[in-house]
């Protein structure tokens, strides 16, 4: 087994960055205001980028900046300034997909490490070798590559070229994200970070001689979302990935919440550390991935052609099947309701995020710890008035408790 491994977490904004670092990420990936594939995320302006890199480096973590869109001619002209800023901010690597962008990184920031994005579509060792000749030191493999082919790629590429794969999060129905459906239907280009996710929509047919008569596309008695992909979850199979020669384990989700970054990073951090020690992760780690909203899980293409069943310990069935035809909704049993600002003198200081009451089933999530069941009896609003119901998002609350957890611990309730 590969005993060197990196846990790579998403950082769509500063709060997500801090949560990823708090909960154990070895590295984070983020975007500036241009050239990133998640245009809907807040992302980082120049000042924010410098601050993010400094914060991460002070915590012993690396920062990778995404430049993985398909750039147009006008953007090529402004890329030298963009990459110079990234270089000056001391990012640790650039994630790029376009050959022209890769060449410009070498020209304008020659000391900067280059990672070939999953959008490059690397599925064989010859492609990886050619990228290596161009100065690429890591290949983020296409999500369609199975474990046996990962092993072969690892055997055929130079020892100092790393392999990265996605282990958790949303998947795209198209090959490595190369999709035209969104632009065709909505004018929003998925290859420029603007995907409207039409693969999640339900579709009907209309016969040309029967205008305005719509017929649902059925897969079974529940109907069909024919393009809708499951979410990936490989938390039970990290050992297999390490055995195949994977170095970096990547969590998808730059457009998702800080709660998502914290919870997934925490679960995978504990699981990975256990696997590296040769231990079985505790059950609560597997339970955690179901406490974030998600679509039904699968193991993607790692185990070959989609097939049913896996005997998973994760409560919601994980299968190798990639598509989910019943609907495109999220499964959600818990809600994030507050962030701990600090604990001192028997008082927890909390910033509320969503509605909750003292009678709700509550838990606190702190880094590298099993969730703590939480049943406080006294809560006060920002005016010092005793309350049983927290109604207003972003309000400051205090709760009397002897529980001591670090800042940015998270409070959630069962729905």
């Amino acid at each position: 087994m590969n005993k060197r491994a990196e846990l790579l977490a998403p950082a769509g904004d500063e709060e997500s960055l801090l949560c990823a670092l708090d909960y154990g990420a070895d590295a984070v990936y983020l975007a500036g205001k241009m050239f990133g594939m998640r245009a809907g995320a807040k992302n980082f302006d120049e000042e924010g980028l410098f601050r993010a890199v400094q914060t991460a480096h002070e915590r012993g973590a690396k920062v990778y900046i995404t430049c993985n869109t398909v750039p147009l001619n006008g953007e090529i002209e402004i890329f030298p300034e963009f990459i110079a800023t990234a270089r000056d901010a001391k990012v640790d690597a650039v994630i790029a997909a376009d050959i022209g962008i890769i060449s410009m990184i070498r020209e304008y920031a020659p000391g900067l490490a280059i990672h070939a994005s999953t959008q490059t579509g690397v599925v064989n060792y010859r492609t990886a070798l050619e990228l290596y000749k161009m100065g690429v030191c890591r290949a983020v493999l296409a999500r369609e590559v199975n474990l046996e082919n990962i092993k072969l790629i690892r055997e055929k590429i130079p020892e100092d070229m790393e392999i990265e794969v996605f282990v958790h999060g949303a998947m795209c129905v198209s090959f490595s994200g190369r999709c035209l459906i969104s632009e065709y239907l909505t004018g929003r280009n998925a290859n420029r970070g603007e995907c409207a996710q039409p693969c999640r929509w339900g579709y009907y047919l209309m016969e040309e001689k029967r205008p305005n008569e719509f017929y649902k596309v059925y897969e079974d008695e529940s109907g069909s979302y024919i393009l809708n992909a499951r979410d990936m979850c490989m938390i039970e199979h990290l050992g297999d990935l390490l055995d195949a020669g994977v170095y970096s384990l990547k969590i998808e989700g730059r457009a998702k919440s800080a709660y998502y970054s914290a919870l997934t990073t925490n679960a995978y951090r504990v699981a990975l550390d256990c696997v590296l020690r040769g231990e079985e992760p505790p059950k609560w780690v597997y339970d955690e991935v179901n406490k974030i909203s998600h679509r039904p899980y699968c193991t993607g293409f790692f185990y070959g052609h989609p097939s049913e069943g896996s005997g998973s310990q994760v409560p919601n069935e994980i299968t190798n099947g990639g598509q989910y035809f019943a609907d495109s909704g999220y499964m959600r049993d818990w809600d994030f309701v507050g962030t701990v600002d600090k604990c001192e003198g028997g008082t927890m200081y909390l910033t509320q995020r969503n509605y909750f009451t003292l009678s709700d089933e509550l838990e606190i999530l702190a880094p590298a710890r099993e969730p703590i069941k939480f049943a406080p009896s006294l809560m006060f609003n920002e005016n010092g008035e005793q309350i049983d119901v927290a109604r207003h998002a972003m309000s400051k609350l205090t709760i009397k408790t002897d529980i001591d957890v670090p800042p940015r611990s998270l409070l959630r309730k069962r729905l």
Side-chain angles (χ1 to χ4, degrees):
M1 178 185 292
N2 174 22
K3 292 295 185 181
R4 292 176 60 248
E6 170 188 86
L7 181 61
L8 178 56
D13 58 19
E14 187 171 5
E15 184 182 16
S16 294
L17 168 78
L18 293 173
C19 281
L21 297 175
D22 285 343
Y23 286 83
D26 296 307
V28 297
Y29 64 106
L30 50 74
K33 292 298 185 179
M34 296 186 66
F35 301 105
M37 283 288 287
R38 290 293 181 270
K42 290 182 180 179
N43 297 319
F44 291 79
D45 59 18
E46 183 174 329
E47 180 182 347
L49 178 62
F50 275 77
R51 187 168 59 247
V53 175
Q54 180 180 354
T55 299
H57 286 178
E58 287 172 351
R59 305 279 292 275
K62 294 181 178 181
V63 175
Y64 309 144
I65 188 169
T66 60
C67 298
N68 53 349
T69 57
V70 178
L72 303 178
N73 285 324
E75 293 168 316
I76 290 295
E77 296 174 0
I78 61 177
F79 185 74
E81 181 180 354
F82 179 92
I83 199 61
T85 299
R87 177 201 62 207
D88 294 344
K90 295 182 169 52
V91 300
D92 296 279
V94 183
I95 304 172
D98 183 77
I99 293 175
I101 288 295
I102 290 174
S103 70
M104 293 178 75
I105 295 169
R106 294 191 66 187
E107 180 179 354
Y108 294 99
L112 204 49
I114 304 172
H115 297 174
S117 167
T118 189
Q119 269 77 29
T120 311
V122 178
V123 298
N124 63 69
Y125 63 85
R126 284 301 300 261
T127 303
L129 287 170
E130 290 304 313
L131 289 167
Y132 183 78
K133 293 176 185 177
M134 295 175 63
V136 171
C137 63
R138 178 185 296 186
V140 187
L141 298 184
R143 302 186 202 200
E144 294 76 17
V145 184
N146 63 32
L147 284 171
E148 292 305 310
N149 279 298
I150 292 175
K151 291 178 184 178
L152 184 58
I153 292 170
R154 177 66 275 168
E155 291 172 3
K156 298 287 189 178
I157 63 176
E159 187 176 344
D160 61 344
M161 187 179 197
E162 297 167 344
I163 290 177
E164 175 180 308
V165 300
F166 281 91
V167 296
H168 193 93
M171 295 198 300
C172 180
V173 70
S174 294
F175 173 66
S176 294
R178 296 179 176 184
C179 184
L180 300 175
I181 302 173
S182 178
E183 184 173 22
Y184 180 77
L185 294 179
T186 71
R188 291 167 54 180
N189 191 330
N191 300 302
R192 295 175 55 74
E194 301 169 346
C195 185
Q197 297 194 323
C199 55
R200 310 297 184 183
W201 303 349
Y203 287 90
Y204 289 79
L205 292 176
M206 184 177 68
E207 201 274 328
E208 64 178 345
K209 295 181 180 179
R210 297 175 176 84
N212 300 318
E213 292 185 30
F214 297 95
Y215 304 91
K216 191 169 182 63
V217 180
Y218 281 99
E219 178 70 22
D220 56 26
E221 67 277 3
S222 300
S224 174
Y225 283 67
I226 57 175
L227 302 176
N228 183 51
R230 293 174 181 263
D231 282 358
M232 180 185 290
C233 180
M234 285 291 288
I235 197 165
E236 295 181 274
H237 306 285
L238 301 184
D240 289 349
L241 294 170
L242 299 183
D243 285 340
V246 172
Y247 170 70
S248 183
L249 308 171
K250 187 173 192 173
I251 299 169
E252 182 275 339
R254 279 190 294 121
K256 296 180 180 177
S257 68
Y259 173 61
Y260 171 92
S261 292
L263 188 151
T264 51
T265 302
N266 191 57
Y268 278 85
R269 175 78 275 159
V270 176
L272 179 58
D273 288 347
C274 287
V275 170
L276 290 172
R277 292 194 300 265
E279 302 172 1
E280 176 67 26
K283 184 179 181 301
W284 69 262
V285 171
Y286 298 135
D287 292 339
E288 279 299 287
V289 294
N290 281 305
K291 292 182 178 179
I292 187 73
S293 60
H294 63 279
R295 297 180 180 91
Y297 285 130
C298 74
T299 53
F301 294 85
F302 286 115
Y303 295 98
H305 191 274
S307 61
E308 291 299 319
S310 66
S312 170
Q313 293 188 56
V314 178
N316 293 330
E317 181 193 18
I318 294 182
T319 76
N320 294 335
Q323 301 308 111
Y324 186 69
F325 303 110
D327 59 57
S328 60
Y330 283 90
M331 305 169 73
R332 182 164 163 253
D333 298 322
W334 292 79
D335 195 15
F336 168 45
V337 296
T339 303
V340 176
D341 299 322
K342 63 179 179 179
C343 291
E344 62 181 27
T347 299
M348 178 182 293
Y349 296 83
L350 194 75
T351 298
Q352 181 192 346
R353 294 303 181 90
N354 286 295
Y355 174 96
F356 72 97
T357 75
L358 290 184
S359 61
D360 286 323
E361 182 181 344
L362 301 173
E363 286 185 348
I364 294 176
L365 180 67
R369 293 175 59 178
E370 183 173 358
I372 304 165
K373 294 188 182 301
F374 190 48
S377 58
L378 291 175
M379 178 167 63
F380 302 88
N381 64 19
E382 53 196 358
N383 298 319
E385 301 164 336
Q386 185 173 341
I387 56 174
D388 295 324
V389 179
R391 301 181 184 279
H392 307 294
M394 303 311 295
S395 294
K396 298 294 185 179
L397 308 173
T398 55
I399 294 176
K400 296 301 180 182
T401 179
D402 58 359
I403 292 176
D404 187 14
V405 292
R408 282 188 293 279
S409 294
L410 306 174
L411 181 66
R412 63 190 175 205
K413 70 174 183 180
R414 184 185 288 275
L415 297 174

